[in-house]
Amino acid sequence: MASVVDGNGGSGGLVVTELGHIKELVTQLEVHLGGSSPDLCKQLASQISSITERSISLLITTSTLDGARKRSAAAASPLSDASDAPFVKATKKRKTKNKERHEVRVSTAGGDGDHPADDCHSWRKYGQKEILGAKHPRGYYRCTHRHSQGCAATKQVQRTDEDPTFFDVVYLGEHTCVQSQRASAAAGQAAADAQAPEYKYNANPGASSLLQSLTSSLTVKAEGPAVEPEQQLLQGWDAPAPFCFSSTPATASGCLVPERSPFSAPSTSDNWGVSPATSDSNRVVSFPPFEVTLYRSSSCGDDVQFGFEEVMSALDRPDGFLDDLDIDISSFFA
DNA sequence: CATATTTGACCGCT
DNA sequence: AGCGGTCAAATATG
């Protein structure tokens, strides 16, 4: 359930990955420290800070949520941990049934301080509960189109105990709706949905679909063993990476909202359409997290268009970065 | 008036 | 029995 693509079946490896990323950023920072781009240094420092924060969050989450879960399934085989089948014995019925469950921790940045940033979906609150042992109540939301379109997606939002500026958001179920009635910030999303409905699940269509394209149309050297399709659905949630990837976009739902994003310019989802010819190389891997931050809710549905240079520049990576990752980008930037 | 939120009641699971 | 999740009537909002 709480699976990540780190080859360890747990978040420990992820934290290591994050720490590696931090180290890499520190190295970059050292290089640029005496340089002529204080802004870059600032950005690097900010990235380091944010990744560190995520790592801490991850460790906290691991020791609470995962810990509780693992305690309840203590007898389960460690190897089966990553498949969503810890209930081998009691497969009859669970309260959460077969709903996909994805957890993310988001800050109020991009939101209004009382709510996490908009995730480009219309939610309607249907309940609130005081949760035992938690300082803050949990809000229950379902998709606005539950009745009109039978969309069964729900989410639970709860302010974290540790840091009131952060929320734990749990998405349950998949969106089956086409959000053509979304009136607010995502006005442009409707058209995008019509043409590329698989992207409607992404919090940041431009950034997410870019990386979706990257991960689905490119051959990437994985850090760990190849991921099974079922596991692909789960990664990116318990993971602190700012994106979730999926080679099966139609089943991905509710990506974490990146807090800061260089993708502030408009773009169309279909500009980043996945090449059908590359569907056989759709292995999803755990990227060294692209530091894409500063997501604004107002960018939901915005059309963004940029080229490779801009992307790499925005990602603050050298052009050869992808080469280092053994990524074949030839078919991507046509 | 239509739609969204609040909130106590209800229900199923452990 | 207690807890978490959902329902639905009352209320609020535009």
Side-chain angles (χ1 to χ4, degrees):
Chain A
M1 182 172 281
S3 74
V4 286
V5 195
D6 60 1
N8 290 334
S11 62
L14 254 174
V15 175
V16 171
T17 303
E18 291 287 77
L19 290 174
H21 190 210
I22 291 171
K23 188 184 171 193
E24 178 194 331
L25 288 170
V26 168
T27 305
Q28 284 184 40
L29 183 58
E30 281 173 344
V31 170
H32 292 104
L33 254 181
S36 55
S37 52
D39 282 351
L40 181 56
C41 295
K42 224 174 186 176
Q43 192 189 346
L44 286 168
S46 162
Q47 289 178 9
I48 292 167
S49 169
S50 119
I51 298 170
T52 305
E53 204 170 306
R54 282 208 308 260
S55 298
I56 293 169
S57 271
L58 181 68
L59 287 172
I60 290 170
T61 304
T62 301
S63 62
T64 55
L65 297 173
D66 284 4
R69 233 176 285 147
K70 277 168 184 160
R71 272 193 299 279
S72 67
S77 158
L79 292 175
S80 67
D81 198 38
S83 68
D84 205 8
F87 313 116
V88 183
K89 202 172 176 182
T91 48
K92 296 236 168 162
K93 47 185 173 181
R94 291 284 296 190
K95 189 149 195 188
T96 51
K97 294 169 189 163
N98 295 323
K99 275 188 175 182
E100 288 287 332
R101 178 192 171 95
H102 304 302
E103 303 173 18
V104 298
R105 179 165 293 195
V106 300
S107 81
T108 56
D112 58 7
D114 290 330
H115 306 280
D118 187 0
D119 57 9
C120 291
H121 280 107
S122 317
W123 299 103
R124 175 168 176 162
K125 191 172 188 176
Y126 66 89
Q128 177 167 305
K129 272 291 235 196
E130 295 292 336
I131 299 302
L132 200 74
K135 291 176 186 161
H136 308 284
R138 176 179 300 166
Y140 297 88
Y141 299 81
R142 61 175 165 235
C143 180
T144 305
H145 310 112
R146 181 188 187 88
H147 293 117
S148 59
Q149 298 181 30
C151 181
T154 63
K155 75 169 178 179
Q156 302 171 359
V157 178
Q158 186 173 10
R159 207 179 276 271
T160 64
D161 289 345
E162 309 90 55
D163 186 346
T165 65
F166 279 79
F167 290 85
D168 280 327
V169 183
V170 178
Y171 293 88
L172 296 163
E174 302 171 16
H175 280 278
T176 56
C177 60
V178 177
Q179 302 208 343
S180 53
Q181 290 129 13
R182 180 69 184 267
S184 59
Q189 186 72 23
D193 285 346
Q195 291 183 319
E198 64 268 32
Y199 293 134
K200 70 178 178 285
Y201 304 109
N202 293 318
N204 186 331
S208 297
S209 54
L210 160 65
L211 287 168
Q212 272 190 354
S213 299
L214 276 171
T215 53
S216 49
S217 64
L218 306 179
T219 301
V220 182
K221 186 183 288 175
E223 296 172 1
V227 202
E228 294 304 313
E230 309 85 48
Q231 294 174 313
Q232 292 177 10
L233 303 179
L234 300 169
Q235 67 171 323
W237 291 99
D238 293 307
F243 296 107
C244 68
F245 304 137
S246 174
S247 63
T248 51
T251 56
S253 62
C255 289
L256 166 60
V257 177
E259 289 166 25
R260 274 163 290 161
S261 168
F263 300 100
S264 50
S267 117
T268 11
S269 297
D270 29 39
N271 283 342
W272 307 105
V274 177
S275 165
T278 57
S279 57
D280 59 338
S281 58
N282 59 0
R283 188 155 35 126
V284 178
V285 300
S286 151
F287 268 43
F290 286 111
E291 198 46 33
V292 179
T293 44
L294 203 83
Y295 166 82
R296 311 265 328 153
S297 57
S298 60
S299 71
C300 283
D302 279 358
D303 287 341
V304 185
Q305 181 167 18
F306 34 70
F308 176 72
E309 301 295 331
E310 295 167 81
V311 171
M312 296 315 290
S313 160
L315 291 171
D316 192 26
R317 301 286 184 181
D319 287 0
F321 175 64
L322 292 176
D323 294 331
D324 294 342
L325 291 173
D326 195 26
I327 296 175
D328 174 16
I329 59 167
S330 55
S331 64
F332 182 69
F333 295 100

